[in-house]
Amino acid sequence: MVTLAEVAQHAGVSASTVSYVLSGKRSISANTRQRVERSIRELGYHPNAGARALASSRSNIIALMIPLRTDMYVPVMMEIAIAVATAARTHGHDVLLLTGEEGPDAVRRVAGSGLADGMILMDVELDDERMPLLRATDQPSVLIGLPADTTGLTCVDLDFRATGALCVEHLAKQGHQDIAVIGEAPAVYERHTGFAERTLDGLRTRSRELGVRLLHRPCEGGYDAMAVTLARILDERPDTSGIIVQNESAVEPLLALLRQQGRAVPEDVSVVAICPDQVATQASVRLTSVAIPAQEMGRHAVEQLVAKFEGRGSDEVVLLAPELTVRGSTGPAPTRP
Amino acid sequence: MVTLAEVAQHAGVSASTVSYVLSGKRSISANTRQRVERSIRELGYHPNAGARALASSRSNIIALMIPLRTDMYVPVMMEIAIAVATAARTHGHDVLLLTGEEGPDAVRRVAGSGLADGMILMDVELDDERMPLLRATDQPSVLIGLPADTTGLTCVDLDFRATGALCVEHLAKQGHQDIAVIGEAPAVYERHTGFAERTLDGLRTRSRELGVRLLHRPCEGGYDAMAVTLARILDERPDTSGIIVQNESAVEPLLALLRQQGRAVPEDVSVVAICPDQVATQASVRLTSVAIPAQEMGRHAVEQLVAKFEGRGSDEVVLLAPELTVRGSTGPAPTRP
DNA sequence: AAATCGTATCGAAGCGCTTCGACAACCTAT
DNA sequence: ATAGGTTGTCGAAGCGCTTCGATACGATTT
């Protein structure tokens, strides 16, 4: 393994000079710089990560804590993770993958060991046990998702409240008066996951303002659960003409069931989904949807964190504005006979 | 930040003693050990990762290289990634997430900098440009997936050849004579991804042995592409009574189309899927399927790698045996009129 | 001509840990 | 009682890098 000292010797300069060429923290004559750079190339030198971390107390690593659960929104998480990794690289950082399994201990471990310079947490719950720790340590961090109390924290998320409102507006504008919301699995609401509750809040508030009726039902994924949920909804509100789905694994079953029951989309029923674009475009009907801007969230989180490393950056909550893309699954409400 | 030296002082011993308590590499009296452990707890000491890596030249980090593409098998990748992270922790390692973006450079960077003790590569292509590098460096590595030439490499994968054979057998045993295979997107085959080709090989070989007719068609995901593909298949081989799908995003469209055309599953057509269990059980028909053992693959890869760290472990190819789970989507072939 | 300054380089200290050899202190076998 | 083994602990060297003065030297100003 090639060391700094070897490069220095090869280039006929001192070790510190090589270090300064690498970091650019002091001016180096063009001549020397070129000699050093040539030696680095010829010897195939790579700085030793451990030594660098020790001497500079900066590891150039960002820890990313993803949930252990693989029951929900997996492609979105993956997309965020990849966006984080990609963005981190452009800032000269690598990404350490932590699963939620360790819970708060992981925060302690990473902060304590100097393994990472900062961390990004996904799947934040409203009352998350990691928050007190995060506030206590001086380890910079950014959350993807929103806890109940955001004081002293930096967060990035889709504005789910606005998302809910946007969906209702879109349907109401087309004359729909009875709207059903098919949500995530009951467990998600029981866990008080922030995004689910905030969406619901947005949906309810806006529908109240617009004077449309709203019925919300959680739903496990899959065909069978969907059949039961849909039957109950149509039983309670036979005039339902608009459906908003916020549950990836309920989308296709819903469409299949509607088709089976002879309800045409969008002629008889309009459907709006809150889901990744991929799901919306690959469904059996191209769905009008609000996408989860995974890429943007990941990139944003990294940039906030890097800003903190450099002393700029502040504790703020960034809510990304939702965008509704109209595709083929929504249209005017049918006129009642 | 608490250091080893501070712990030593607090416990009234030397720094090296604390180190030996931590590593267990020399015997320590029960008395001293307890005093030290108590100090560690009271001071909230965490060893500094950089210093440790520098002194021991072991970072306790495993690099995991995942593909950048998010167009295929995302949940499986995620599951593997999580399994790797979890397994790594049980062996005292953390996981560094590398995207395929950097390609071979990432291998050089990680090996050169001592950032990780070894690496696990996913999404290996048959003729992968990273392989020569991997063979050249002394950085231990394990592949998830199989390149064309496996000499000098350690690989873990599902036995896709056996998987193909198993699917054909299952259908043939029930009397199906005309079997169609709906595969991955054409791009996957053009890229010469190992698993796709090996599956196909297993399918073809076994169907020849059993004397059944086999028709293979690649297929983009989604409803529209599936409609075209299915129409072509039924046009060419109207007697097709068994279908094998190896394409997650084609599963649900296929079922929807069959239903729409009045072909009952499994009465008229039997369907076998090669996909994660989650997809098979959540589909509108519970699918007979061969699962991708993501957890097991991840765990296995980590264990092979850790074995290499410790000097045991060898270059071998581990092919996990496929298991076919019979659910509701397969039955006897219909008797021809 | 001396004083001042900026630029380019070097030497040395030190980051927090592991590990090796040394050395007491004690226990056994002669 | 002495040689030889254990067992438990310590001190010091060093891992490869960053970074802080210090220094040397040419360019500028007084």
Tab-separated table of all heavy atoms in Angstrom, chain D residues 11-30:
chain	number	residue	atom	x	y	z
D	11	DG	P	3.098	2.640	32.922
D	11	DG	OP1	3.654	3.377	34.074
D	11	DG	OP2	1.778	2.997	32.365
D	11	DG	O5'	4.174	2.683	31.734
D	11	DG	C5'	5.374	1.931	31.886
D	11	DG	C4'	6.178	1.967	30.611
D	11	DG	O4'	5.704	0.926	29.709
D	11	DG	C3'	6.108	3.283	29.830
D	11	DG	O3'	7.439	3.574	29.426
D	11	DG	C2'	5.155	2.969	28.680
D	11	DG	C1'	5.351	1.472	28.446
D	11	DG	N9	4.170	0.736	28.009
D	11	DG	C8	2.880	0.905	28.465
D	11	DG	N7	2.019	0.082	27.904
D	11	DG	C5	2.784	-0.666	27.028
D	11	DG	C6	2.400	-1.723	26.157
D	11	DG	O6	1.284	-2.206	25.983
D	11	DG	N1	3.488	-2.216	25.438
D	11	DG	C2	4.780	-1.760	25.567
D	11	DG	N2	5.688	-2.359	24.799
D	11	DG	N3	5.158	-0.780	26.380
D	11	DG	C4	4.106	-0.282	27.077
D	12	DA	P	7.784	4.869	28.571
D	12	DA	OP1	9.155	5.285	28.944
D	12	DA	OP2	6.655	5.823	28.670
D	12	DA	O5'	7.839	4.263	27.092
D	12	DA	C5'	8.418	2.965	26.892
D	12	DA	C4'	8.457	2.671	25.409
D	12	DA	O4'	7.243	1.973	25.027
D	12	DA	C3'	8.515	3.907	24.521
D	12	DA	O3'	9.243	3.568	23.362
D	12	DA	C2'	7.050	4.180	24.217
D	12	DA	C1'	6.520	2.753	24.071
D	12	DA	N9	5.107	2.585	24.370
D	12	DA	C8	4.320	3.325	25.221
D	12	DA	N7	3.072	2.928	25.286
D	12	DA	C5	3.034	1.831	24.427
D	12	DA	C6	1.997	0.958	24.049
D	12	DA	N6	0.760	1.049	24.523
D	12	DA	N1	2.296	-0.022	23.178
D	12	DA	C2	3.555	-0.124	22.701
D	12	DA	N3	4.615	0.648	22.986
D	12	DA	C4	4.279	1.614	23.862
D	13	DA	P	9.729	4.669	22.329
D	13	DA	OP1	11.189	4.811	22.519
D	13	DA	OP2	8.847	5.851	22.435
D	13	DA	O5'	9.471	3.937	20.935
D	13	DA	C5'	9.578	2.506	20.870
D	13	DA	C4'	8.729	1.994	19.728
D	13	DA	O4'	7.351	1.870	20.152
D	13	DA	C3'	8.714	2.917	18.505
D	13	DA	O3'	8.799	2.112	17.352
D	13	DA	C2'	7.375	3.642	18.634
D	13	DA	C1'	6.509	2.545	19.236
D	13	DA	N9	5.330	3.010	19.979
D	13	DA	C8	5.230	4.091	20.802
D	13	DA	N7	4.029	4.239	21.342
D	13	DA	C5	3.302	3.183	20.836
D	13	DA	C6	1.970	2.771	21.024
D	13	DA	N6	1.107	3.412	21.815
D	13	DA	N1	1.560	1.665	20.367
D	13	DA	C2	2.431	1.023	19.579
D	13	DA	N3	3.717	1.304	19.330
D	13	DA	C4	4.088	2.411	19.995
D	14	DG	P	9.166	2.769	15.952
D	14	DG	OP1	9.999	1.814	15.198
D	14	DG	OP2	9.596	4.155	16.165
D	14	DG	O5'	7.721	2.793	15.275
D	14	DG	C5'	7.004	1.560	15.201
D	14	DG	C4'	5.622	1.845	14.733
D	14	DG	O4'	4.821	2.339	15.842
D	14	DG	C3'	5.521	2.936	13.646
D	14	DG	O3'	4.631	2.482	12.665
D	14	DG	C2'	4.956	4.119	14.394
D	14	DG	C1'	4.034	3.394	15.361
D	14	DG	N9	3.556	4.178	16.485
D	14	DG	C8	4.210	5.177	17.166
D	14	DG	N7	3.491	5.693	18.124
D	14	DG	C5	2.284	4.991	18.078
D	14	DG	C6	1.113	5.111	18.863
D	14	DG	O6	0.902	5.883	19.799
D	14	DG	N1	0.138	4.203	18.468
D	14	DG	C2	0.277	3.303	17.445
D	14	DG	N2	-0.768	2.522	17.198
D	14	DG	N3	1.366	3.176	16.698
D	14	DG	C4	2.319	4.050	17.072
D	15	DC	P	4.862	2.826	11.166
D	15	DC	OP1	5.836	1.881	10.605
D	15	DC	OP2	5.091	4.285	11.082
D	15	DC	O5'	3.446	2.533	10.511
D	15	DC	C5'	2.658	1.407	10.884
D	15	DC	C4'	1.211	1.805	10.856
D	15	DC	O4'	0.857	2.309	12.144
D	15	DC	C3'	0.924	2.941	9.875
D	15	DC	O3'	0.518	2.384	8.632
D	15	DC	C2'	-0.215	3.717	10.549
D	15	DC	C1'	-0.201	3.242	12.018
D	15	DC	N1	0.058	4.290	13.042
D	15	DC	C2	-0.862	4.491	14.092
D	15	DC	O2	-1.882	3.798	14.133
D	15	DC	N3	-0.602	5.438	15.029
D	15	DC	C4	0.517	6.161	14.952
D	15	DC	N4	0.728	7.073	15.908
D	15	DC	C5	1.465	5.973	13.896
D	15	DC	C6	1.197	5.039	12.971
D	16	DG	P	1.317	2.813	7.289
D	16	DG	OP1	0.976	1.786	6.293
D	16	DG	OP2	2.719	3.124	7.611
D	16	DG	O5'	0.609	4.169	6.864
D	16	DG	C5'	-0.789	4.173	6.628
D	16	DG	C4'	-1.290	5.595	6.646
D	16	DG	O4'	-1.083	6.154	7.960
D	16	DG	C3'	-0.561	6.536	5.685
D	16	DG	O3'	-1.554	7.238	4.964
D	16	DG	C2'	0.245	7.446	6.590
D	16	DG	C1'	-0.622	7.474	7.835
D	16	DG	N9	0.085	7.791	9.065
D	16	DG	C8	1.364	7.441	9.401
D	16	DG	N7	1.725	7.856	10.588
D	16	DG	C5	0.614	8.523	11.071
D	16	DG	C6	0.405	9.192	12.300
D	16	DG	O6	1.185	9.326	13.251
D	16	DG	N1	-0.879	9.728	12.396
D	16	DG	C2	-1.820	9.636	11.416
D	16	DG	N2	-3.007	10.214	11.668
D	16	DG	N3	-1.660	9.015	10.250
D	16	DG	C4	-0.414	8.486	10.149
D	17	DC	P	-1.223	8.323	3.876
D	17	DC	OP1	-2.095	8.116	2.723
D	17	DC	OP2	0.235	8.402	3.696
D	17	DC	O5'	-1.680	9.654	4.624
D	17	DC	C5'	-3.057	9.894	4.764
D	17	DC	C4'	-3.324	10.777	5.943
D	17	DC	O4'	-2.392	10.460	6.992
D	17	DC	C3'	-3.127	12.265	5.705
D	17	DC	O3'	-4.377	12.817	5.306
D	17	DC	C2'	-2.711	12.793	7.064
D	17	DC	C1'	-2.325	11.562	7.870
D	17	DC	N1	-0.956	11.602	8.447
D	17	DC	C2	-0.775	12.181	9.702
D	17	DC	O2	-1.745	12.681	10.274
D	17	DC	N3	0.456	12.195	10.251
D	17	DC	C4	1.482	11.638	9.595
D	17	DC	N4	2.696	11.655	10.184
D	17	DC	C5	1.333	11.044	8.322
D	17	DC	C6	0.107	11.052	7.781
D	18	DT	P	-4.378	14.341	4.801
D	18	DT	OP1	-5.672	14.545	4.157
D	18	DT	OP2	-3.116	14.641	4.087
D	18	DT	O5'	-4.356	15.154	6.175
D	18	DT	C5'	-5.515	15.171	6.980
D	18	DT	C4'	-5.291	16.070	8.161
D	18	DT	O4'	-4.046	15.740	8.828
D	18	DT	C3'	-5.207	17.557	7.821
D	18	DT	O3'	-5.940	18.247	8.833
D	18	DT	C2'	-3.714	17.865	7.892
D	18	DT	C1'	-3.262	16.900	8.984
D	18	DT	N1	-1.838	16.434	8.965
D	18	DT	C2	-1.088	16.561	10.101
D	18	DT	O2	-1.511	17.054	11.131
D	18	DT	N3	0.201	16.081	10.004
D	18	DT	C4	0.787	15.492	8.915
D	18	DT	O4	1.944	15.086	8.953
D	18	DT	C5	-0.060	15.389	7.741
D	18	DT	C7	0.483	14.760	6.491
D	18	DT	C6	-1.314	15.859	7.823
D	19	DT	P	-6.460	19.715	8.593
D	19	DT	OP1	-7.820	19.773	9.134
D	19	DT	OP2	-6.186	20.107	7.192
D	19	DT	O5'	-5.525	20.579	9.528
D	19	DT	C5'	-5.191	20.060	10.813
D	19	DT	C4'	-4.045	20.850	11.407
D	19	DT	O4'	-2.788	20.183	11.144
D	19	DT	C3'	-3.894	22.266	10.838
D	19	DT	O3'	-3.574	23.112	11.921
D	19	DT	C2'	-2.734	22.132	9.879
D	19	DT	C1'	-1.868	21.131	10.643
D	19	DT	N1	-0.856	20.390	9.835
D	19	DT	C2	0.277	19.944	10.467
D	19	DT	O2	0.503	20.106	11.645
D	19	DT	N3	1.150	19.281	9.647
D	19	DT	C4	1.006	19.031	8.298
D	19	DT	O4	1.866	18.425	7.671
D	19	DT	C5	-0.215	19.532	7.706
D	19	DT	C7	-0.463	19.327	6.241
D	19	DT	C6	-1.072	20.189	8.491
D	20	DC	P	-4.022	24.623	11.914
D	20	DC	OP1	-5.423	24.704	12.375
D	20	DC	OP2	-3.630	25.211	10.618
D	20	DC	O5'	-3.066	25.193	13.046
D	20	DC	C5'	-2.669	24.343	14.129
D	20	DC	C4'	-1.209	24.569	14.467
D	20	DC	O4'	-0.364	23.777	13.610
D	20	DC	C3'	-0.765	26.017	14.292
D	20	DC	O3'	0.012	26.398	15.420
D	20	DC	C2'	0.056	25.992	13.014
D	20	DC	C1'	0.665	24.593	13.071
D	20	DC	N1	1.021	24.040	11.725
D	20	DC	C2	2.211	23.320	11.554
D	20	DC	O2	2.957	23.148	12.519
D	20	DC	N3	2.508	22.833	10.320
D	20	DC	C4	1.661	23.030	9.303
D	20	DC	N4	2.002	22.522	8.107
D	20	DC	C5	0.447	23.754	9.455
D	20	DC	C6	0.170	24.237	10.668
D	21	DG	P	0.190	27.921	15.792
D	21	DG	OP1	1.034	27.956	17.013
D	21	DG	OP2	-1.123	28.557	15.760
D	21	DG	O5'	0.992	28.468	14.535
D	21	DG	C5'	2.096	29.306	14.726
D	21	DG	C4'	3.308	28.492	15.177
D	21	DG	O4'	3.397	27.256	14.421
D	21	DG	C3'	4.603	29.251	14.902
D	21	DG	O3'	5.576	28.998	15.917
D	21	DG	C2'	5.044	28.721	13.555
D	21	DG	C1'	4.500	27.299	13.523
D	21	DG	N9	4.030	26.964	12.169
D	21	DG	C8	2.847	27.336	11.599
D	21	DG	N7	2.707	26.885	10.372
D	21	DG	C5	3.877	26.172	10.131
D	21	DG	C6	4.304	25.467	8.969
D	21	DG	O6	3.709	25.330	7.907
D	21	DG	N1	5.572	24.892	9.145
D	21	DG	C2	6.322	24.997	10.296
D	21	DG	N2	7.498	24.390	10.275
D	21	DG	N3	5.943	25.635	11.382
D	21	DG	C4	4.708	26.205	11.225
D	22	DA	P	6.879	29.977	15.948
D	22	DA	OP1	7.525	29.761	17.271
D	22	DA	OP2	6.430	31.317	15.542
D	22	DA	O5'	7.818	29.391	14.806
D	22	DA	C5'	8.415	28.108	14.980
D	22	DA	C4'	9.360	27.847	13.839
D	22	DA	O4'	8.593	27.515	12.652
D	22	DA	C3'	10.244	29.056	13.472
D	22	DA	O3'	11.561	28.600	13.282
D	22	DA	C2'	9.604	29.584	12.193
D	22	DA	C1'	9.047	28.298	11.567
D	22	DA	N9	7.902	28.486	10.668
D	22	DA	C8	6.768	29.220	10.920
D	22	DA	N7	5.897	29.198	9.939
D	22	DA	C5	6.498	28.399	8.980
D	22	DA	C6	6.083	27.979	7.698
D	22	DA	N6	4.911	28.317	7.153
D	22	DA	N1	6.924	27.187	6.995
D	22	DA	C2	8.087	26.830	7.558
D	22	DA	N3	8.589	27.163	8.752
D	22	DA	C4	7.730	27.944	9.411
D	23	DT	P	12.783	29.598	13.063
D	23	DT	OP1	13.926	29.087	13.838
D	23	DT	OP2	12.276	30.984	13.261
D	23	DT	O5'	13.091	29.407	11.513
D	23	DT	C5'	13.169	28.087	10.973
D	23	DT	C4'	13.233	28.194	9.467
D	23	DT	O4'	11.904	28.384	8.920
D	23	DT	C3'	14.073	29.366	8.955
D	23	DT	O3'	14.899	28.916	7.912
D	23	DT	C2'	13.032	30.342	8.458
D	23	DT	C1'	11.990	29.362	7.912
D	23	DT	N1	10.636	29.906	7.651
D	23	DT	C2	10.002	29.544	6.486
D	23	DT	O2	10.482	28.804	5.662
D	23	DT	N3	8.756	30.081	6.315
D	23	DT	C4	8.092	30.955	7.190
D	23	DT	O4	6.969	31.366	6.920
D	23	DT	C5	8.813	31.296	8.382
D	23	DT	C7	8.201	32.226	9.374
D	23	DT	C6	10.044	30.768	8.565
D	24	DA	P	16.390	29.536	7.692
D	24	DA	OP1	17.373	28.601	8.287
D	24	DA	OP2	16.339	30.952	8.110
D	24	DA	O5'	16.543	29.490	6.112
D	24	DA	C5'	15.897	28.468	5.352
D	24	DA	C4'	15.370	29.066	4.068
D	24	DA	O4'	14.037	29.597	4.291
D	24	DA	C3'	16.209	30.225	3.503
D	24	DA	O3'	16.457	29.959	2.148
D	24	DA	C2'	15.324	31.452	3.693
D	24	DA	C1'	13.935	30.825	3.605
D	24	DA	N9	12.854	31.569	4.244
D	24	DA	C8	12.868	32.187	5.467
D	24	DA	N7	11.734	32.766	5.788
D	24	DA	C5	10.908	32.512	4.694
D	24	DA	C6	9.578	32.866	4.416
D	24	DA	N6	8.818	33.565	5.258
D	24	DA	N1	9.063	32.455	3.242
D	24	DA	C2	9.828	31.739	2.407
D	24	DA	N3	11.098	31.348	2.564
D	24	DA	C4	11.583	31.773	3.739
D	25	DC	P	17.674	30.703	1.338
D	25	DC	OP1	18.567	29.655	0.772
D	25	DC	OP2	18.228	31.782	2.188
D	25	DC	O5'	16.876	31.376	0.146
D	25	DC	C5'	15.727	30.738	-0.423
D	25	DC	C4'	14.816	31.801	-0.984
D	25	DC	O4'	13.899	32.265	0.037
D	25	DC	C3'	15.562	33.057	-1.487
D	25	DC	O3'	15.183	33.322	-2.812
D	25	DC	C2'	15.100	34.147	-0.537
D	25	DC	C1'	13.698	33.644	-0.196
D	25	DC	N1	13.076	34.255	1.005
D	25	DC	C2	11.707	34.551	0.992
D	25	DC	O2	11.044	34.276	-0.013
D	25	DC	N3	11.140	35.131	2.084
D	25	DC	C4	11.894	35.405	3.150
D	25	DC	N4	11.282	35.962	4.201
D	25	DC	C5	13.289	35.110	3.186
D	25	DC	C6	13.838	34.552	2.110
D	26	DG	P	16.313	33.981	-3.826
D	26	DG	OP1	16.845	32.912	-4.690
D	26	DG	OP2	17.218	34.834	-3.019
D	26	DG	O5'	15.379	34.934	-4.701
D	26	DG	C5'	14.264	34.416	-5.401
D	26	DG	C4'	13.081	35.354	-5.220
D	26	DG	O4'	12.838	35.559	-3.810
D	26	DG	C3'	13.277	36.746	-5.837
D	26	DG	O3'	12.226	36.995	-6.754
D	26	DG	C2'	13.254	37.699	-4.653
D	26	DG	C1'	12.474	36.911	-3.607
D	26	DG	N9	12.814	37.246	-2.227
D	26	DG	C8	14.053	37.159	-1.638
D	26	DG	N7	14.045	37.527	-0.386
D	26	DG	C5	12.730	37.878	-0.128
D	26	DG	C6	12.110	38.351	1.055
D	26	DG	O6	12.629	38.549	2.150
D	26	DG	N1	10.749	38.572	0.873
D	26	DG	C2	10.076	38.382	-0.303
D	26	DG	N2	8.772	38.658	-0.275
D	26	DG	N3	10.634	37.944	-1.428
D	26	DG	C4	11.952	37.705	-1.262
D	27	DA	P	12.197	38.313	-7.621
D	27	DA	OP1	11.612	37.990	-8.948
D	27	DA	OP2	13.495	39.006	-7.523
D	27	DA	O5'	11.136	39.163	-6.794
D	27	DA	C5'	9.807	38.659	-6.647
D	27	DA	C4'	8.952	39.695	-5.946
D	27	DA	O4'	9.382	39.802	-4.557
D	27	DA	C3'	9.034	41.100	-6.535
D	27	DA	O3'	7.722	41.645	-6.578
D	27	DA	C2'	9.939	41.859	-5.568
D	27	DA	C1'	9.635	41.154	-4.236
D	27	DA	N9	10.739	41.149	-3.276
D	27	DA	C8	12.049	40.828	-3.511
D	27	DA	N7	12.820	40.906	-2.440
D	27	DA	C5	11.939	41.301	-1.440
D	27	DA	C6	12.128	41.560	-0.071
D	27	DA	N6	13.305	41.428	0.552
D	27	DA	N1	11.054	41.936	0.653
D	27	DA	C2	9.867	42.059	0.034
D	27	DA	N3	9.572	41.847	-1.250
D	27	DA	C4	10.662	41.468	-1.931
D	28	DT	P	7.447	42.958	-7.435
D	28	DT	OP1	6.078	42.820	-7.993
D	28	DT	OP2	8.610	43.241	-8.323
D	28	DT	O5'	7.410	44.069	-6.305
D	28	DT	C5'	6.277	44.125	-5.448
D	28	DT	C4'	6.615	44.783	-4.133
D	28	DT	O4'	7.906	44.387	-3.647
D	28	DT	C3'	6.681	46.315	-4.165
D	28	DT	O3'	5.416	46.848	-3.793
D	28	DT	C2'	7.780	46.668	-3.158
D	28	DT	C1'	8.216	45.290	-2.609
D	28	DT	N1	9.652	45.180	-2.244
D	28	DT	C2	10.017	45.444	-0.939
D	28	DT	O2	9.248	45.784	-0.072
D	28	DT	N3	11.378	45.286	-0.677
D	28	DT	C4	12.354	44.897	-1.576
D	28	DT	O4	13.510	44.799	-1.220
D	28	DT	C5	11.886	44.632	-2.913
D	28	DT	C7	12.862	44.207	-3.962
D	28	DT	C6	10.569	44.778	-3.200
D	29	DT	P	5.127	48.373	-4.052
D	29	DT	OP1	3.648	48.528	-4.058
D	29	DT	OP2	5.931	48.849	-5.192
D	29	DT	O5'	5.693	49.045	-2.716
D	29	DT	C5'	5.084	48.731	-1.451
D	29	DT	C4'	6.017	49.141	-0.331
D	29	DT	O4'	7.329	48.586	-0.550
D	29	DT	C3'	6.216	50.657	-0.163
D	29	DT	O3'	5.642	51.079	1.064
D	29	DT	C2'	7.730	50.864	-0.205
D	29	DT	C1'	8.263	49.446	0.094
D	29	DT	N1	9.635	49.158	-0.412
D	29	DT	C2	10.669	49.076	0.499
D	29	DT	O2	10.552	49.240	1.686
D	29	DT	N3	11.903	48.783	-0.067
D	29	DT	C4	12.168	48.565	-1.405
D	29	DT	O4	13.305	48.317	-1.770
D	29	DT	C5	11.042	48.666	-2.292
D	29	DT	C7	11.236	48.466	-3.780
D	29	DT	C6	9.840	48.955	-1.766
D	30	DT	P	5.556	52.597	1.353
D	30	DT	OP1	4.455	52.790	2.317
D	30	DT	OP2	5.576	53.342	0.089
D	30	DT	O5'	6.935	52.854	2.086
D	30	DT	C5'	7.027	52.727	3.511
D	30	DT	C4'	8.474	52.892	3.905
D	30	DT	O4'	9.343	52.278	2.938
D	30	DT	C3'	8.928	54.365	4.004
D	30	DT	O3'	9.261	54.681	5.359
D	30	DT	C2'	10.144	54.468	3.085
D	30	DT	C1'	10.567	52.999	2.928
D	30	DT	N1	11.293	52.680	1.662
D	30	DT	C2	12.592	52.241	1.785
D	30	DT	O2	13.174	52.109	2.831
D	30	DT	N3	13.194	51.947	0.567
D	30	DT	C4	12.631	52.053	-0.689
D	30	DT	O4	13.274	51.776	-1.696
D	30	DT	C5	11.277	52.520	-0.722
D	30	DT	C7	10.564	52.687	-2.031
D	30	DT	C6	10.660	52.815	0.453
